[in-house]
């Protein structure tokens, strides 16, 4: 009996930290769907430091797009699709728009109203339109061993008591789809 060959999978992460965090449930679902394959998360250099918190194991980081079998594009740019096409990726999946539909193997429709739906759901819809099972819609960040203590030490060095500090960034530049919900902010 032949064993199936491992495929190379590229997940092009969003280009902003907050968006990468919001895309975590969708990227995690894709990584789990391709658990037996070689998975590469592609993005800006800061993404390498964020990956341990996103729990996308066993995915590895790549700053440039490697040759692969399948690419899932979270950035909506023409450039992200062009880089995958130039890398020789056979199947490129992403949302249509930005003059890139011809570069995509599968150009997905935008089914959510981004003025009223949370941006996390927009990313999850990409996975769902590909038939990928999403086991959790919630963002779940995990601090690597020792990171919590390191953070507390940094707070103390700046005169803050870690037991009495809450850090929030409730706003967003591009509308309500990326804002911390008002009722949750009030609860905190």
């Amino acid at each position: 009996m032949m064993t199936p060959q491992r495929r190379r999978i590229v997940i092009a992460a969003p280009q902003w930290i907050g968006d990468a965090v919001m895309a975590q449930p969708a990227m995690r679902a894709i990584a789990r769907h391709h658990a037996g394959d070689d998975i590469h998360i592609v993005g800006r250099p800061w993404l390498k430091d964020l990956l341990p918190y996103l729990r996308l194991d066993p995915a590895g980081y790549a700053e440039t797009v490697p040759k692969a079998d399948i690419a899932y594009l979270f950035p909506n740019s023409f450039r992200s699709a062009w880089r995958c096409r130039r890398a020789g990726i056979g199947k490129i999946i992403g949302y249509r728009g930005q003059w890139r539909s011809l570069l995509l193997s599968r150009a997905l429709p935008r089914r959510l109203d981004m003025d009223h739906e949370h941006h996390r759901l927009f990313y999850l819809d990409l996975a769902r339109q590909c038939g990928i099972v999403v086991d959790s819609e919630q963002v779940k960040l995990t601090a690597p061993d020792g990171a919590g203590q390191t953070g507390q030490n940094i707070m103390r060095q700046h005169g803050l008591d870690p037991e009495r500090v809450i850090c929030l960034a409730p706003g967003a530049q591009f509308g309500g789809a990326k804002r911390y919900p008002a009722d949750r902010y009030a609860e905190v």
Side-chain angles (χ1 to χ4, degrees):
M1 179 180 210
M2 288 183 61
T3 57
Q5 185 177 356
R6 290 171 60 101
R7 295 178 296 177
R8 293 187 76 176
I9 308 299
V10 165
I11 300 174
Q15 299 298 302
W16 302 102
I17 291 174
D19 289 84
V21 170
M22 286 187 287
Q24 184 242 11
M27 291 191 297
R28 188 176 61 238
I30 292 168
R32 285 186 178 163
H33 181 77
H34 292 285
D37 295 321
D38 292 322
I39 303 167
H40 304 273
I41 309 294
V42 176
R44 293 185 176 178
W46 53 258
L47 184 62
K48 185 176 184 178
D49 295 328
L50 183 63
L51 276 180
Y53 297 87
L54 295 178
R55 297 176 20 189
L56 302 176
D57 298 328
Y61 169 75
E63 190 171 340
T64 59
V65 177
K67 182 164 177 45
D69 300 295
I70 304 171
Y72 296 90
L73 305 184
F74 286 94
N76 292 312
S77 66
F78 177 87
R79 181 180 179 191
S80 63
W82 177 246
R83 292 169 94 187
C84 289
R85 181 63 62 199
R86 282 186 42 213
I89 296 176
K91 187 174 183 181
I92 305 169
I93 302 166
Y95 287 118
R96 59 175 71 122
Q98 298 251 342
W99 297 92
R100 70 189 203 153
S101 293
L102 292 174
L103 298 174
L104 301 174
S105 307
R106 187 161 176 207
L108 304 173
R110 297 168 189 256
R111 302 188 306 186
L112 298 178
D113 176 3
M114 293 313 301
D115 289 334
H116 299 96
E117 299 287 341
H118 196 276
H119 212 74
R120 177 180 43 83
L121 300 175
F122 176 71
Y123 293 130
L124 282 164
D125 195 48
L126 187 144
R128 287 188 170 118
Q129 286 191 56
C130 294
I132 294 173
V133 175
V134 175
D135 63 346
S136 174
E137 292 186 352
Q138 303 307 312
V139 172
K140 295 178 184 171
L141 303 178
T142 303
D145 291 340
Q149 188 60 49
T150 300
Q152 289 181 12
N153 292 341
I154 291 170
M155 282 191 248
R156 285 188 188 97
Q157 290 170 4
H158 288 86
L160 300 172
D161 178 356
E163 299 297 321
R164 300 184 51 82
V165 173
I166 296 174
C167 298
L168 290 176
Q173 184 173 359
F174 298 111
K178 296 183 181 182
R179 288 192 186 125
Y180 195 69
D183 60 328
R184 301 280 179 87
Y185 187 64
E187 184 180 329
V188 170

